[in-house]
Amino acid sequence: MEVIFLRVALDTPLDTSFDYRWTLTQQDGVAAPVPKVGQLVLVPFGRQEIVGLILDVLETTTVPENKLRDAIAVRHDVTPLSPDWIALCQFAADYYQRPLGEVALPSLPKNLKVSKTVSLVRALKKLAQLPALADATPIAEPVLNSEQQGAVDTIVGRDGYAAHLLFGVTGSGKTEVYLQAAARILAQSVDAQILILVPEINLTPQFEAHIRARFPGLLLSTLHSGMAEGERLLHWIAAHTGRSRIVLGTRLAMLASLPRLRLIIVDEEHDPSYKQQEGLRYSARDLAVWRARQLQIPVVLGSATPSLESWHGAQSGRYRLLELHERAVQKAVLPVIRIINLEQEKPSEGLTPRLIAAIRRRLDKKEQSLLFLNRRGYAPVLACDACGWISDCNRCSAHLVLHKGDHRLRCHHCGLEQRIPRSCPTCGNIDLQPLGRGTQRMEESLAAIFPDARVFRIDADSTRLKGSAAAAFERVHDGDVDILIGTQMVAKGHDFKHLTLVAALNPDAALFSQDYRASERLFAQLMQVAGRAGRAAQKEDGNASEVLVQTRYPDHPLYHALMAHNYRSFAADLLDERQQACMPPFMYQALLRAEARELQTALDFLQQAAACMPHPAMTINDPIPMTMTRVANRDRAQLLIESASRPALQAFVKIWIAELRSWKSRVKWSLEIDPVDI
Ligand code: ADP
Ligand code: ZN
Ligand code: ZN
């Protein structure tokens, strides 16, 4: 019997790998298989048994004999994870300052990690039946216009790594470019795999249906967080074994195992959902670019409003800029965007007379209107006029939001819920007033103003049940809705054929946000929601689609750029500002956050962290309370570190974090590289 040692990565915060003993046995004269790098292994850890990833198979170990434990079982039924996949996880681990095990293991389907093989066996069996996933009625591909054709040719025209920014207004046919580039690559090699990342799959089943219809013979895997574990395993295995040729997924699909990956597409690359906001705070978009370089394959980042990082990348020549200037459907033109000055036209119930008249006109023509209000609930706060009481959350620095339908006050940050009080808790006044308006209140007002119209609301509250979002969008597509009111959920990727009026009811708040990225996001959101209008061919009567924006600041440069559909000038101005203020993408940042029962405890911790390691090439700012200081009875503060050099920041943070870890402080802290919400 021969003894070897397995070096294993485990999903623990300890920044190390662990060695286990493995005894090679014989059964009936046949040697048991030797474990391989990239296989999963069940090991004892403390009093538990957990699954780890084999990083190395060794003949000796430095771990003393009395500390060594035996590994329990090796998963031989799954092909080992490839060295390039492990390298991807290692890169993410190093870059985001987490142990490898905390990156690699959580990215695998849960059912792969249970010690029982039942579900795996079932999944492997099901794999044989997977072609059923692929049935769809084939549709022909449209003939590309010359800009689209040029883009496809550039993307597939060269071997090796190249990053492309596909920049084109909504409806300019970016999706078509993705699909035909994918088709070319799939045709070039019989086993190529394509990864397509989207911000949200549940909200845009159209996209998936489209891919299926275009590639009816191929296996498609989808990967997103809403999947049942069994299903997730099936799709993951199909990708891992190379069976599925196309993988469509949200950010988590970036860490899927794809042995024959030949093209990566990141649709709506500017979307904030590509950034994970807890645990491993990675950017799937950034990892996509790294992965493409690692594998020497093309990557396409597509958007009508690219992130400033990507735009800067294209301007500086790191990315190739591919531009689509016009809407792809003949005669479909961009909607006219107009500003309604709220200082001059007084709204009632949040709607100006001009907007009401515009909705009325669309109703008369049996066309749809979409009203965008990025605030769910009935009213953001309930107040007492008599004594000044307002509905604050006692656990957070936030108001409790009034949800009228189910008679609740609800905190959108910690989830606290209360019944709506009958009278003021401090003075007993029974006449409590909702202040401001959310989508529920707008829905109520619209129903009152347009009693003959079918008003419909789509937001996180109205679509809480699984499948209800898809059903809701189906209603709009089917023309069963005249006026749609919704949050940014309605801005995403939908192609509503009867929609000719889009209005932003109250977008101003983001103009003056503390978060310097707020205006970049607002512009993208408004362009995207505006892009829902006029996607079909324009009617002969010259009745163009229109977009109305209600604002108190009609002269704000953001609205001017919006009216001119001019992302370029908007981005150029913002980049100038960022450069002058030494902000990203001209500066690299890391953000240390701390939380404690008392704000001072968190601040003290950050103060110590700031002082412990002075460094000439780092700007270490003062610790400050976070804008939303208190959430769920914890006070939160942050410390921003900046450097003009990314490698310098990386090198510094690595030693710095090791130092902080050694403190064993009871303050809960976390580090984010390239933070987006500051
Ligand atoms: P984007 O992704 O840029 O918003 P899409 O790819 O969804 O745009 O295209 C918008 C519409 O134009 C879709 O209905 C699509 O089928 C159509 N389309 C795209 N390319 C062409 C083309 N070359 N000829 C005709 N129609 C096209
Ligand atoms: Zn009162
Ligand atoms: Zn709260």
Side-chain angles (χ1 to χ4, degrees):
M1 279 202 300
E2 197 192 334
V3 171
I4 56 173
F5 305 96
L6 306 178
R7 182 151 296 163
V8 177
L10 296 175
D11 181 7
T12 84
L14 301 174
D15 194 3
T16 170
S17 48
F18 302 82
D19 289 359
Y20 288 90
R21 185 169 41 217
W22 181 258
T23 309
L24 292 166
T25 51
Q26 284 203 345
Q27 247 183 354
D28 307 327
V30 182
V34 180
K36 295 193 192 74
V37 171
Q39 282 181 323
L40 297 178
V41 58
L42 185 68
V43 295
F45 188 69
R47 261 177 264 160
Q48 292 170 290
E49 293 181 356
I50 60 175
V51 169
L53 173 70
I54 302 178
L55 298 178
D56 218 341
V57 180
L58 309 160
E59 287 178 358
T60 56
T61 175
T62 52
V63 178
E65 183 69 26
N66 61 350
K67 291 245 170 92
L68 262 182
R69 301 175 74 180
D70 287 296
I72 301 163
V74 171
R75 170 137 269 167
H76 286 292
D77 45 6
V78 183
T79 329
L81 287 147
S82 65
D84 68 71
W85 181 82
I86 297 177
L88 168 69
C89 294
Q90 187 67 60
F91 167 77
D94 290 344
Y95 188 78
Y96 296 108
Q97 309 290 337
R98 311 282 289 206
L100 172 61
E102 271 197 349
V103 177
L105 290 153
S107 81
L108 300 172
K110 270 207 187 72
N111 287 359
L112 202 59
K113 293 177 279 179
V114 291
S115 39
K116 295 190 206 77
T117 49
V118 181
S119 54
L120 183 68
V121 169
R122 207 181 295 144
L124 289 169
K125 265 202 199 123
K126 261 198 185 164
L127 208 53
Q129 310 153 8
L130 263 183
L133 277 178
D135 57 19
T137 333
I139 50 164
E141 29 183 62
V143 178
L144 297 179
N145 64 37
S146 61
E147 282 185 329
Q148 288 174 310
Q149 190 61 54
V152 171
D153 290 343
T154 309
I155 295 164
V156 303
R158 211 179 63 172
D159 283 344
Y161 164 79
H164 308 86
L165 179 61
L166 180 62
F167 168 53
V169 292
T170 48
S172 59
K174 296 187 289 295
T175 311
E176 206 46 57
V177 171
Y178 306 149
L179 294 178
Q180 298 209 19
R184 290 258 292 267
I185 287 180
L186 291 170
Q188 276 168 15
S189 89
V190 291
D191 58 0
Q193 293 181 301
I194 313 273
L195 174 61
I196 305 177
L197 298 184
V198 289
E200 199 23 285
I201 292 187
N202 293 334
L203 296 185
T204 50
Q206 280 180 320
F207 194 36
E208 183 181 336
H210 220 83
I211 297 176
R212 285 186 191 284
R214 194 58 74 73
F215 303 103
L218 298 187
L219 203 56
L220 171 73
S221 278
T222 52
L223 288 170
H224 58 91
S225 58
M227 295 170 89
E229 286 302 332
E231 213 189 350
R232 170 125 176 247
L233 177 64
L234 184 63
H235 285 257
W236 186 92
I237 289 271
H240 173 62
T241 52
R243 292 283 304 276
S244 50
R245 307 284 304 282
I246 304 181
V247 173
L248 173 67
T250 53
R251 63 167 182 261
L252 59 84
M254 193 55 238
L255 290 173
S257 157
L258 295 159
R260 311 261 180 269
L261 184 57
R262 294 290 175 271
L263 170 67
I264 308 177
I265 289 159
V266 184
D267 187 29
E268 309 286 4
E269 66 88 29
H270 64 278
D271 198 286
S273 69
Y274 285 121
K275 179 85 196 225
Q276 165 112 342
Q277 290 294 9
E278 65 213 15
L280 177 76
R281 292 164 179 260
Y282 65 98
S283 155
R285 179 196 60 217
D286 295 352
L287 287 182
V289 175
W290 188 89
R291 182 83 161 136
R293 187 191 289 277
Q294 176 203 28
L295 298 176
Q296 291 295 303
I297 60 172
V299 56
V300 181
L301 311 176
S303 177
T305 52
S307 64
L308 281 190
E309 278 76 8
S310 299
W311 187 248
H312 181 54
Q315 298 297 309
S316 63
R318 262 189 308 124
Y319 300 163
R320 292 195 217 172
L321 183 63
L322 305 172
E323 188 164 356
L324 307 178
H325 289 87
E326 273 158 29
R327 285 200 154 176
V329 172
Q330 284 218 339
K331 289 200 191 146
V333 289
L334 287 172
V336 182
I337 302 180
R338 295 195 184 88
I339 296 292
I340 299 180
N341 184 349
L342 286 168
E343 295 296 340
Q344 284 163 8
E345 299 185 45
K346 289 290 162 216
S348 71
E349 310 280 318
L351 300 168
T352 51
R354 187 137 68 102
L355 177 53
I356 292 176
I359 299 173
R360 170 63 59 205
R361 273 200 302 278
R362 300 293 160 178
L363 279 176
D364 292 344
K365 291 197 177 118
K366 308 227 175 316
E367 294 169 358
Q368 290 176 321
S369 302
L370 185 165
L371 308 187
F372 171 61
L373 178 63
N374 219 356
R375 189 187 270 160
R376 65 190 172 88
Y378 186 84
V381 58
L382 185 67
C384 169
D385 276 348
C387 75
W389 172 87
I390 52 172
S391 58
D392 278 333
C393 176
N394 57 19
R395 294 151 43 96
C396 305
S397 25
H399 300 309
L400 293 174
V401 176
L402 178 61
H403 286 253
K404 201 175 174 192
D406 47 1
H407 307 285
R408 298 276 160 189
L409 292 176
R410 203 170 274 146
C411 176
H412 288 185
H413 299 277
C414 73
L416 181 77
E417 276 197 25
Q418 297 174 356
R419 283 192 67 84
I420 298 174
R422 281 175 210 284
S423 59
C424 174
T426 44
C427 77
N429 172 18
I430 51 165
D431 190 20
L432 296 175
Q433 295 296 330
L435 294 186
R437 60 197 73 241
T439 45
Q440 289 175 8
R441 190 172 188 181
M442 262 339 290
E443 181 187 17
E444 197 179 275
S445 309
L446 286 163
I449 300 171
F450 303 103
D452 47 342
R454 293 163 300 175
V455 177
F456 190 57
R457 170 169 60 91
I458 296 186
D459 58 25
D461 298 314
S462 79
T463 55
R464 218 168 275 290
L465 295 176
K466 196 170 189 246
S468 61
F473 284 114
E474 214 43 57
R475 270 183 75 169
V476 186
H477 283 293
D478 289 348
D480 294 340
V481 172
D482 299 314
I483 306 175
L484 173 64
I485 167 87
T487 55
Q488 94 271 351
M489 270 180 80
V490 298
K492 306 232 160 159
H494 282 274
D495 205 345
F496 300 122
K497 297 274 187 284
H498 315 287
L499 182 72
T500 50
L501 171 67
V502 167
L505 299 183
N506 186 14
D508 285 342
L511 293 178
F512 306 102
S513 163
Q514 301 230 3
D515 181 351
Y516 71 90
R517 276 177 220 265
S519 59
E520 182 186 343
R521 271 201 297 266
L522 176 63
F523 187 81
Q525 236 168 32
L526 291 177
M527 283 288 262
Q528 198 164 23
V529 74
R532 297 311 106 212
R535 293 170 67 93
Q538 197 185 331
K539 304 255 169 50
E540 294 306 325
D541 60 6
N543 166 31
S545 295
E546 65 179 335
V547 176
L548 298 174
V549 179
Q550 300 191 136
T551 172
R552 295 214 148 67
Y553 308 92
D555 294 323
H556 196 285
L558 186 145
Y559 294 132
H560 278 265
L562 187 73
M563 278 192 285
H565 294 274
N566 198 342
Y567 168 83
R568 273 176 179 277
S569 78
F570 176 73
D573 288 352
L574 269 193
L575 275 179
D576 269 357
E577 264 177 55
R578 299 270 186 93
Q579 186 158 28
Q580 273 160 33
C582 289
M583 289 196 294
F586 302 95
M587 193 59 121
Y588 298 96
Q589 300 180 324
L591 189 71
L592 183 67
R593 294 191 175 87
E595 59 171 73
R597 292 217 164 269
E598 303 287 327
L599 180 61
Q600 199 52 49
T601 315
L603 285 170
D604 288 346
F605 171 85
L606 294 178
Q607 192 60 58
Q608 274 179 29
C612 75
M613 215 174 271
H615 191 292
M618 291 307 126
T619 308
I620 301 181
N621 293 278
D622 289 330
I624 50 167
M626 285 171 63
T627 316
M628 266 274 310
T629 309
R630 199 168 186 76
V631 169
N633 280 331
R634 317 266 311 168
D635 279 341
R636 304 154 348 136
Q638 65 186 37
L639 167 65
L640 184 66
I641 310 194
E642 300 173 286
S643 170
S645 152
R646 180 176 255 164
L649 182 71
Q650 279 289 314
F652 171 78
V653 164
K654 197 172 173 65
I655 349 175
W656 189 51
I657 288 302
E659 168 72 14
L660 300 189
R661 286 210 177 101
S662 74
W663 287 359
K664 313 236 180 304
S665 157
R666 286 218 301 278
V667 170
K668 200 175 148 201
W669 59 269
S670 64
L671 180 85
E672 180 170 359
I673 306 289
D674 307 330
V676 286
D677 281 312
I678 298 189

